[in-house]
């Protein structure tokens, strides 16, 4: 069977290092592994509008920003198709048919939806469109017959919902759609990178992100101000590394060669963590090391981003071409779906049979 990837991001802001370790890095690896025949990377503007209906200009402005972040991370337009969700009307149509296969209570039980409703204070009045976004996400995935969705762990409930829709569709209308599986980052620390303030999630609204486009000085300032272990008051005190954002970031970003280059007195991360727990290792020293690591990892990404920023007309063409290609694929699936549902009236003789 063809191996096909679909994944994407809402264009509500520039992408940050949480997106990078949580999914972007994995995508680039999968892209370059050669194991996938087709790769679709979607800028999910229609989904972004489900909770930004009053801010279409914010969504529009971030389309280019997200495209630049993709290219900066190494998404290669020769190997991956980057496209804009709302430019593919077939996705909306699929969503509408799938809505009949899902109950309101099922969506209400979706833990990601639950958490987001709470976060946005939607409890009293949830926009219907927002409520249905897991169904639209199933349309995104199935329109491309995707087998694989590289994403963060918060997307697992979406994938589960999608698989249920696929099973139900195939059961009712006959084998048509493909069940996808999620690919999570293998490194535990990458699955949920906390904000620099120690809050569970990096989020633009909390102002606790390090962006892929941040300048070196900004990165340094953010790293040096990071929340660490509040019980580690003096250097001599024993410290905690579990749940300590600085160490979580080190687990997500540091490589053995960073120790050789920036901190040769330690054999590796384990030894550094051990010293911190024992006491005698100051936060400033660890943060300085983390800053070196982040600069080494993000420098090449920022350079590539700057390069693409000088070539915006090319980026525009990449999006236009990608969207055209993606639409053709989605149109084919929609045709399969209509045929399976027997609503392909003018393509078959069915309409003229009176009973
Ligand atoms: N929900 C994803 C996000 O919050 C974006 C998205 C939309 C997506 N459709 C998708 C991700 C399909 C994976 C597959 O960024």
């Amino acid at each position: 069977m063809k191996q096909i990837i679909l994944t994407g991001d809402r264009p509500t802001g520039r992408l940050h290092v949480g997106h990078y370790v949580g999914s972007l890095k994995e995508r680039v690896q999968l892209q370059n592994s050669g194991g996938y025949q087709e790769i679709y990377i979607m800028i999910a503007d229609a989904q972004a509008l489900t909770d930004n209906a009053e801010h279409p200009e914010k969504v529009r402005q971030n389309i280019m920003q997200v495209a630049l972040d993709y290219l900066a991370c190494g998404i290669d337009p020769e190997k991956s198709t980057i496209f804009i969700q709302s430019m593919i009307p077939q996705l909306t149509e699929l969503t509408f048919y799938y809505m009949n296969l899902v109950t309101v209570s099922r969506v209400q039980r979706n833990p990601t939806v639950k958490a987001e409703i709470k976060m946005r204070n939607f409890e009293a009045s949830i926009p219907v469109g927002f409520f249905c976004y897991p169904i639209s996400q199933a349309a995104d995935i199935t329109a491309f017959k995707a087998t694989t969705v590289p994403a963060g762990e918060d997307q697992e409930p979406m994938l589960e919902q999608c698989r249920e829709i696929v099973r139900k569709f195939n059961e009712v209308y006959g084998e048509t759609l493909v069940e996808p599986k999620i690919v999570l980052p293998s490194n535990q620390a990458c699955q949920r990178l906390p904000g620099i303030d120690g809050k569970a999630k990096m989020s633009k609204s909390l102002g606790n992100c390090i962006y892929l486009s941040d300048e070196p000085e900004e990165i340094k300032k953010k790293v040096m101000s990071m929340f660490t272990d509040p019980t580690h008051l003096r250097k001599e005190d024993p410290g905690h590394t579990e749940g300590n954002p600085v160490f979580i970031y080190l687990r997500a970003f540091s490589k053995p060669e960073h120790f050789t280059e920036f901190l040769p007195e330690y054999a590796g991360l384990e030894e550094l963590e051990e010293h911190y727990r024992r006491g005698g290792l100051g936060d400033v020293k660890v943060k300085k090391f983390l800053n070196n690591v982040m600069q080494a990892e993000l420098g090449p990404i920022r350079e590539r981003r700057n390069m693409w920023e000088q070539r915006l007309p090319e980026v525009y063409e990449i999006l236009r071409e990608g969207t055209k290609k993606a639409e053709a694929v989605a149109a084919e699936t929609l045709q399969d779906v209509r045929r399976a549902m027997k609503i392909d009236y003018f393509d078959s003789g069915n309409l003229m049979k009176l009973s």
Side-chain angles (χ1 to χ4, degrees):
M1 195 165 95
K2 243 196 204 173
Q3 295 301 302
I4 302 174
I5 287 178
L6 177 120
T7 186
D9 302 273
R10 297 179 194 182
T12 52
R14 291 172 291 151
L15 300 183
H16 52 61
V17 295
H19 293 114
Y20 180 64
V21 294
S23 170
L24 288 167
K25 203 168 147 189
E26 191 79 35
R27 285 179 212 176
V28 174
Q29 267 161 14
L30 294 176
Q31 169 194 272
N32 296 336
S33 72
Y36 295 84
Q37 284 76 46
E38 292 170 35
I39 302 172
Y40 301 94
I41 313 282
M42 180 181 74
I43 304 182
D45 66 327
Q47 187 175 108
L49 286 167
T50 65
D51 66 332
N52 284 281
E54 279 139 49
H55 308 288
E57 73 294 342
K58 168 171 133 189
V59 172
R60 187 184 49 100
Q61 278 162 13
N62 281 304
I63 287 188
M64 270 294 183
Q65 296 292 351
V66 170
L68 287 169
D69 285 328
Y70 285 165
L71 295 165
C73 288
I75 298 289
D76 175 355
E78 298 284 322
K79 297 181 184 150
S80 299
T81 304
I82 307 176
F83 71 95
I84 304 175
Q85 185 183 30
S86 72
M87 295 280 96
I88 314 230
Q90 289 83 358
L91 299 177
T92 324
E93 190 171 337
L94 287 174
T95 304
F96 195 68
Y97 300 138
Y98 295 171
M99 281 179 179
N100 302 325
L101 306 175
V102 183
T103 63
V104 169
S105 65
R106 175 63 184 86
V107 180
Q108 266 165 344
R109 277 203 310 276
N110 183 315
T112 304
V113 174
K114 263 195 196 163
E116 290 185 326
I117 286 174
K118 212 164 159 196
M119 199 170 92
R120 290 171 178 71
N121 290 322
F122 274 168
E123 277 108 331
S125 57
I126 310 168
V128 174
F130 177 81
F131 189 71
C132 295
Y133 96 75
I135 306 172
S136 118
Q137 198 157 326
D140 302 335
I141 297 167
T142 55
F144 298 91
K145 304 212 155 91
T147 53
T148 310
V149 179
E153 62 168 1
D154 61 326
Q155 296 299 308
E156 182 63 275
M158 300 297 156
L159 266 285
E160 191 48 46
Q161 184 112 55
C162 177
R163 284 189 289 266
E164 282 177 37
I165 291 173
V166 169
R167 286 196 286 267
K168 181 90 183 174
F169 189 101
N170 289 346
E171 183 191 304
V172 176
Y173 304 116
E175 206 58 33
T176 313
L177 304 174
V178 177
E179 268 190 59
K181 63 172 192 308
I182 194 166
V183 176
L184 299 169
S186 46
N187 179 344
Q188 193 68 30
C190 292
Q191 293 192 8
R192 182 158 294 190
L193 206 66
I196 56 171
D197 58 357
K199 295 237 168 67
K201 214 175 151 148
M202 210 176 256
S203 118
K204 195 182 160 190
S205 51
L206 296 173
N208 61 3
C209 309
I210 297 177
Y211 292 99
L212 292 173
S213 48
D214 276 350
E215 292 297 327
E217 270 314 301
E218 245 165 312
I219 296 172
K220 184 168 181 197
K221 213 168 85 194
K222 288 178 180 177
V223 169
M224 296 314 286
S225 74
M226 261 174 92
F227 180 83
T228 63
D229 172 12
T231 68
H232 184 246
L233 295 175
R234 289 163 307 163
K235 181 175 159 188
E236 307 79 69
D237 293 337
H240 297 86
T241 55
E242 266 333 291
N244 182 331
V246 174
F247 283 95
I248 298 177
Y249 279 46
L250 282 176
R251 282 176 223 136
F253 285 96
S254 71
K255 297 176 186 158
E257 57 262 37
H258 293 140
F259 280 89
T260 323
E261 193 178 344
F262 305 121
L263 209 59
E265 62 268 41
Y266 293 88
L269 188 52
E270 228 165 275
E271 208 177 286
L272 188 73
E273 294 205 20
E274 230 286 299
H275 192 184
Y276 191 84
R277 283 194 293 265
R278 202 167 62 233
L281 174 57
D283 281 306
V284 172
K285 182 163 179 174
V286 187
K287 284 179 173 177
K288 278 193 174 151
F289 175 56
L290 176 61
N291 176 52
N292 284 330
V293 170
M294 302 287 285
Q295 302 288 356
E297 289 297 290
L298 299 178
I301 295 177
R302 187 177 44 251
E303 272 162 39
R304 233 171 317 167
R305 202 180 195 281
N306 290 340
M307 189 271 286
W308 281 107
E309 265 183 45
Q310 307 305 313
R311 294 159 58 181
L312 288 184
E314 243 176 281
V315 181
Y316 177 87
E317 273 313 308
I318 288 168
L319 290 178
R320 209 163 60 159
E321 285 297 313
T323 301
K324 203 165 113 193
K325 186 169 159 199
E327 181 173 8
V329 177
E332 241 172 82
T333 303
L334 181 62
Q335 219 173 21
D336 296 344
V337 161
R338 287 176 148 273
R339 199 177 306 122
M341 294 175 72
K342 303 200 192 313
I343 57 171
D344 57 336
Y345 305 117
F346 298 127
D347 296 336
S348 69
N350 286 346
L351 200 57
M352 277 185 286
K353 290 191 199 125
L354 288 184
S355 65

